Amino acid sequence: KEKARDKFSFQVEGGIYSKSGAAYIDPYQFTTALIAKSVQRGLNVFENTEIAHIEPRPDGVRLTTNNHKEIKAKKVMITTGYEAKKYINNNIVHLSRTEVEYQFHGIFGETKDSLPYIGEYQGLPNCYLLMGYGANGILYSLIGASLLKELLLGNRRPELDIFRFDR
């Protein structure tokens, strides 16, 4: 911490300072380790399971799977990108027609103002969505994950107003 004060204009609690730039992780290994640790702490994991229906209730959310099993939760996070659209009643992502100059294997949807939608959706109480579309989706997923974590902990951050669904 002492060395960091000399190098940076902001407070640093911990980190890795690298002259070569970035770091990388194996996403599969990281995810499986994260799931294994969460299972040790009591998480139930349902692999290869698709949620067919989401039913908000006063005491939480009831999820019905594609094989007709039910999962009850206090809160639900929906952070599946373009797939999240099917859970809301609003046409918030627009795929516009463009002339093809170059081809690549990817299509980006955009919101009307190029900002993501992050937070609780009015039509789905106790369900929190992170819909970071467009070329900045990865960046928005980091911002959104932080904001949603705080929201679940009961700390509603003012930045959520920028990303609200009714803007």
Side-chain angles (χ1 to χ4, degrees), residues 92-107:
I92 60 173
V93 179
H94 305 283
L95 296 173
S96 57
R97 299 182 140 222
T98 58
E99 185 178 320
V100 177
E101 277 188 42
Y102 302 97
Q103 288 185 331
F104 62 96
H105 297 291
I107 297 174

Side-chain angles (χ1 to χ4, degrees), residues 75-160:
K75 307 280 183 190
V76 173
M77 293 277 194
I78 303 170
T79 59
T80 55
Y82 294 103
E83 287 292 314
K85 253 182 80 170
K86 68 183 175 187
Y87 297 114
I88 63 174
N89 299 336
N90 201 341
N91 187 16
I92 60 173
V93 179
H94 305 283
L95 296 173
S96 57
R97 299 182 140 222
T98 58
E99 185 178 320
V100 177
E101 277 188 42
Y102 302 97
Q103 288 185 331
F104 62 96
H105 297 291
I107 297 174
F108 289 110
E110 286 287 336
T111 59
K112 62 186 174 191
D113 56 8
S114 298
L115 291 173
Y117 290 96
I118 303 170
E120 188 172 15
Y121 180 67
Q122 186 177 13
L124 290 171
N126 295 312
C127 294
Y128 300 86
L129 287 94
L130 169 50
M131 302 172 78
Y133 297 109
N136 292 316
I138 293 172
L139 172 64
Y140 291 143
S141 68
L142 294 172
I143 294 168
S146 176
L147 291 171
L148 289 179
K149 177 194 81 166
E150 291 294 321
L151 194 58
L152 282 175
L153 292 173
N155 306 318
R156 190 185 186 291
R157 303 245 311 260
E159 297 96 314
L160 281 168

Side-chain angles (χ1 to χ4, degrees), residues 1-63:
K1 289 183 185 182
E2 309 298 321
K3 290 180 182 179
R5 283 190 204 130
D6 297 335
K7 290 189 180 279
F8 304 104
S9 62
F10 51 88
Q11 183 177 345
V12 175
E13 292 297 322
I16 297 172
Y17 180 70
S18 171
K19 292 181 181 178
S20 61
Y24 69 93
I25 63 168
D26 178 328
Y28 176 79
Q29 190 175 29
F30 175 73
T31 303
T32 54
L34 186 63
I35 291 170
K37 188 67 170 175
S38 298
V39 167
Q40 289 176 359
R41 292 180 170 185
L43 175 72
N44 292 313
V45 176
F46 303 93
E47 294 182 279
N48 302 313
T49 302
E50 182 179 336
I51 300 300
H53 183 71
I54 297 175
E55 180 187 347
R57 307 178 113 202
D59 60 339
V61 182
R62 181 169 52 183
L63 307 162

